Amino acid sequence: MDIARASLGFAAIGSEQRLAVLLMLVKAGRLGMTVGQIQEKSGMAPSTLAHHLRMLADGELITQRRDGRSVINRANFDHLESLVSYLMKECCANEIVQSEGDVA
């Protein structure tokens, strides 16, 4: 993953409402939720929810699939794991170990 792709993903969760929607979808698991279910649970106006879902999809944090007249939204677990790994691979990279566990 490169920094541009990672920044899109992190920007997509840069709103309290989008993070709340993403957490709902993470909790829903692989079954996902319809737009109507998310709207009912979140209380968001349809146009606001559509905007947030579009941002989450553009950031690759969710996938959307049409199922008849409904759109099923699912957390993109693979991409979420990639984003976490992107951050964590840099963990403590600049620490200098002086001696036997002493950290500068």
Side-chain angles (χ1 to χ4, degrees):
M1 177 174 301
D2 62 29
I3 197 164
R5 188 172 178 209
S7 69
L8 284 174
F10 289 118
I13 56 174
S15 146
E16 192 174 315
Q17 290 179 311
R18 283 193 296 276
L19 181 56
V21 169
L22 181 59
L23 287 172
M24 271 188 248
L25 293 173
V26 167
K27 289 176 186 178
R30 306 254 178 230
L31 292 176
M33 297 172 74
T34 65
V35 173
Q37 289 170 322
I38 298 168
Q39 185 179 0
E40 182 178 314
K41 195 164 188 158
S42 70
M44 283 185 215
S47 60
T48 301
L49 179 57
H51 165 75
H52 289 311
L53 290 172
R54 187 171 46 257
M55 294 283 293
L56 290 168
D58 289 348
E60 300 179 63
L61 300 175
I62 67 168
T63 61
Q64 298 178 304
R65 182 181 55 83
R66 184 161 293 284
D67 184 15
R69 296 181 68 189
S70 297
V71 175
I72 307 298
N73 298 272
R74 293 182 179 91
N76 184 349
F77 292 106
D78 291 338
H79 192 65
L80 289 168
E81 287 178 19
S82 294
L83 284 172
V84 171
S85 294
Y86 180 79
L87 282 180
M88 295 311 295
K89 75 177 182 177
E90 299 298 324
C91 179
C92 313
N94 293 333
E95 282 186 351
I96 300 171
V97 178
Q98 291 182 344
S99 66
E100 303 227 2
D102 292 338
V103 179

